[in-house]
C-alpha cells in the first residue's frame, strides 16, 4: 500500500499472458515462423530514369562524342566497303562511289579464287609470318628487358637521360631510319668504307635478300623498342616497395627479387600486349618494307600489305585488294581469339575476360 499498488493490479501484473499458457505448441510454432522469416532486402538503385542519368552524365557524354564519331566514320562505316570484295567493282560507273558500289556486278567468290590461285600471294603470306616470328622472338622481349634495366637504375638523372635517348628514335620517320641504316650498313656506308681503307672487302647489307628480315627487325628494334617500354615502366611503378623489402628481409637477392616480384607484376601486361601483337601479326610495317622492296626484290620483301598495294590499289583493282584485305582481317581476328584463349589458360585476362 505504501507504494500505491493495489493487490488486484499486482496480480494482473504477475500473471502470465493467456496465450503463452493456453497453447505452448502454438507459441513454439509462432516462434519458429518469426525466426525463419527472411528480412526484407532493399534493391540497389539503378540511378533513376534515363533522363536523370543523361542529365547527370551529359558532360562526359559530350566529351566522348567526338571520339565516338571519329571511330564510327573511320573504323566502322568503311567496313561496309568490304562488299566490293564480292563484286567486279568499277569506280567509273558513277561519280558517286556509293552508287558505283551498288551498280557494280556481283561475282561471288571469284576474287578470292584469283588470290588463292596466285603463287605470289602465298609467297607474301610466308614472308609475312616469317617476319612476324622473328619480330616476336627478337623484338618483343627487348622492351621488357629495357624496362627492367631502367627500373633498376637508382639515380633519377641517369634514368631520365636513358629514357630520353631510348624514346627519341620513335619520333623519326621511316625514311630517316632507313637513311641512317643505309649510311652505316650500306655499300657506301661508314663500315664498308672503313673496311676498304684497311684492305678488306666491303659489304652492302641493305641489298642482301638473305638478311633482309633480320635487317627489318633491327630497324624496328632501334626505332620502337624505347617507346614500347613506357607500358612496362608504368606497370612496374604500381608495384609496392613493401614487396621488395619483404623479399629482401627473407634473404632474396636482386635477381630473385626481380624474378619473384617484378616479373609477376608484368605478367598481365605481357599477356595483353602479346595477344595484341599476335592479332597484328599480318601487319609487319607497310611503309618500312615498301621503301626497301626494290633494293632486295619482291621475293624477299613482299608481305601482305605490299602485295595488296602492288596488285590491287596501284592497279586500281579494288575488288582484288578488298578481298585480300578481308582475308587478312579474318585471319587476324582468328589469331586474336586463339591468343586470348591461350592467355585464359595461363590464368591471365588477355583482351577480354572469360
Amino acid at each position: 500500500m505504501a507504494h500505491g499498488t493495489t493487490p488486484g493490479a499486482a496480480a494482473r501484473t504477475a500473471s502470465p499472458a493467456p496465450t503463452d499458457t493456453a497453447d505452448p505448441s502454438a507459441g513454439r510454432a509462432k516462434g519458429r515462423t518469426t525466426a525463419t522469416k527472411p528480412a526484407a532486402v532493399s534493391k540497389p538503385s539503378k540511378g533513376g530514369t534515363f533522363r536523370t542519368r543523361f542529365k547527370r552524365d551529359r558532360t562526359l557524354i559530350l566529351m566522348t562524342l567526338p571520339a565516338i564519331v571519329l571511330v564510327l566514320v573511320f573504323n566502322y562505316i568503311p567496313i561496309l566497303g568490304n562488299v566490293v570484295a564480292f563484286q567486279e567493282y568499277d569506280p567509273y560507273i558513277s561519280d558517286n562511289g556509293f552508287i558505283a558500289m551498288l551498280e557494280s556486278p556481283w561475282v561471288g567468290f571469284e576474287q578470292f579464287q584469283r588470290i588463292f590461285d596466285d603463287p605470289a600471294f602465298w609467297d607474301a603470306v610466308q614472308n609475312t609470318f616469317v617476319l612476324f616470328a622473328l619480330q616476336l622472338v627478337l623484338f618483343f622481349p627487348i622492351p621488357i628487358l629495357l624496362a627492367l634495366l631502367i627500373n633498376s637504375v637508382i639515380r633519377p638523372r641517369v634514368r631520365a637521360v636513358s629514357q630520353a635517348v631510348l624514346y627519341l628514335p620513335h619520333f623519326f620517320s621511316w625514311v630517316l631510319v632507313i637513311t641512317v641504316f643505309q649510311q652505316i650498313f650500306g655499300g657506301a656506308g661508314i663500315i664498308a668504307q672503313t673496311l676498304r681503307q684497311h684492305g678488306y672487302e666491303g659489304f652492302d647489307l641493305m641489298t642482301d635478300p638473305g638478311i633482309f628480315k633480320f635487317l627489318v627487325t633491327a630497324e624496328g628494334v632501334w626505332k620502337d623498342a624505347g617507346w614500347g617500354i613506357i607500358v612496362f615502366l608504368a606497370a612496374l611503378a604500381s608495384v609496392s616497395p613493401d614487396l621488395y623489402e619483404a623479399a629482401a628481409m627473407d634473404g632474396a637477392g636482386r635477381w630473385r627479387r626481380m624474378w619473384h616480384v617484378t616479373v609477376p607484376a608484368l605478367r598481365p601486361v605481357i599477356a595483353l600486349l602479346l595477344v595484341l601483337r599476335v592479332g597484328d601479326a599480318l601487319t609487319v610495317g607497310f611503309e618500312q618494307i615498301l621503301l626497301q622492296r626494290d633494293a632486295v626484290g619482291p621475293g624477299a620483301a613482299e608481305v601482305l600489305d605490299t602485295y595488296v598495294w602492288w596488285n590491287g590499289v596501284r592497279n586500281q583493282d579494288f575488288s582484288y585488294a578488298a578481298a585480300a584485305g578481308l582475308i587478312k582481317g579474318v585471319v587476324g581476328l582468328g589469331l586474336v581469339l586463339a591468343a586470348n584463349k591461350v592467355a585464359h589458360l595461363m590464368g591471365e585476362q588477355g583482351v577480354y575476360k572469360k
Side-chain angles (χ1 to χ4, degrees):
M1 296 296 179
H3 298 284
T5 304
T6 61
R12 286 194 301 271
T13 304
S15 62
T19 55
D20 294 338
T21 55
D23 192 359
S25 61
R28 288 193 300 269
K30 182 178 181 182
R32 286 197 302 270
T33 305
T34 305
T36 57
K37 184 178 182 180
V41 179
S42 59
K43 296 183 179 180
S45 176
K46 295 183 178 180
T49 61
F50 174 80
R51 184 176 180 180
T52 304
R53 296 196 302 270
F54 179 80
K55 185 177 181 180
R56 180 192 61 193
D57 301 331
R58 63 181 181 274
T59 303
L60 298 176
I61 295 174
L62 291 176
M63 289 176 60
T64 58
L65 188 60
I68 294 174
V69 172
L70 288 175
V71 171
L72 288 175
V73 172
F74 294 101
N75 291 87
Y76 286 95
I77 293 180
I79 293 178
L80 301 176
N82 286 324
V83 70
V84 303
F86 305 93
Q87 296 177 327
E88 189 64 44
Y89 178 69
D90 186 1
Y92 302 106
I93 294 179
S94 173
D95 294 335
N96 190 324
F98 182 74
I99 299 300
M101 184 173 62
L102 293 178
E103 296 181 355
S104 296
W106 293 88
V107 295
F109 293 94
E110 180 180 330
Q111 306 296 344
F112 297 92
Q113 187 65 38
R114 289 175 55 197
I115 292 175
F116 293 144
D117 292 340
D118 188 1
F121 170 76
W122 297 109
D123 293 338
V125 171
Q126 180 180 355
N127 291 335
T128 301
F129 277 103
V130 170
L131 187 57
F132 162 71
L134 286 176
Q135 292 183 356
L136 188 65
V137 174
L138 301 178
F139 174 68
F140 186 78
I142 290 180
I144 303 174
L145 298 177
L146 289 176
L148 295 175
L149 180 61
I150 293 177
N151 189 68
S152 64
V153 176
I154 300 177
R155 296 185 178 181
R157 184 180 298 272
V158 177
R159 181 183 300 182
V161 173
S162 302
Q163 292 179 12
V165 172
L166 292 172
Y167 293 167
L168 185 61
H170 173 76
F171 301 98
F172 297 163
S173 66
W174 277 116
V175 175
L176 181 57
V177 171
I178 295 172
T179 301
V180 171
F181 273 75
Q182 179 68 37
Q183 295 299 322
I184 298 175
F185 302 105
I190 297 175
I191 298 178
Q193 291 183 9
T194 303
L195 290 176
R196 294 191 188 99
Q197 290 175 1
H198 291 80
Y200 297 98
E201 183 180 359
F203 59 86
D204 187 2
L205 298 182
M206 303 298 294
T207 59
D208 188 348
I211 65 170
F212 174 75
K213 296 178 178 60
F214 297 96
L215 178 68
V216 171
T217 304
E219 293 170 352
V221 169
W222 185 70
K223 185 178 188 297
D224 290 329
W227 186 259
I229 69 177
I230 294 178
V231 178
F232 297 106
L233 286 177
L236 291 175
S238 63
V239 182
S240 175
D242 297 338
L243 297 177
Y244 292 103
E245 295 176 2
M249 292 180 62
D250 290 338
R254 173 177 296 183
W255 293 104
R256 293 186 65 86
R257 291 198 299 270
M258 180 180 297
W259 181 256
H260 293 287
V261 178
T262 307
V263 174
L266 291 178
R267 279 187 58 184
V269 180
I270 293 174
L272 174 61
L273 295 181
L274 185 60
V275 171
L276 296 177
R277 185 69 190 92
V278 170
D280 206 27
L282 303 184
T283 303
V284 289
F286 169 73
E287 182 181 359
Q288 176 192 9
I289 297 177
L290 185 64
L291 292 171
Q292 304 175 86
R293 180 178 180 273
D294 293 336
V296 296
E302 193 79 287
V303 294
L304 282 176
D305 285 340
T306 57
Y307 175 84
V308 172
W309 165 257
W310 285 100
N311 296 276
V313 179
R314 189 170 179 270
N315 297 330
Q316 296 187 357
D317 192 352
F318 299 108
S319 295
Y320 191 85
L326 189 58
I327 294 172
K328 174 185 170 183
V330 172
V331 174
L333 176 62
L335 290 175
V336 168
L337 297 177
N340 201 74
K341 182 64 175 179
V342 174
H344 289 166
L345 296 176
M346 296 174 59
E348 302 297 338
Q349 178 176 335
V351 179
Y352 56 87
K353 295 182 179 179
K354 295 181 180 179

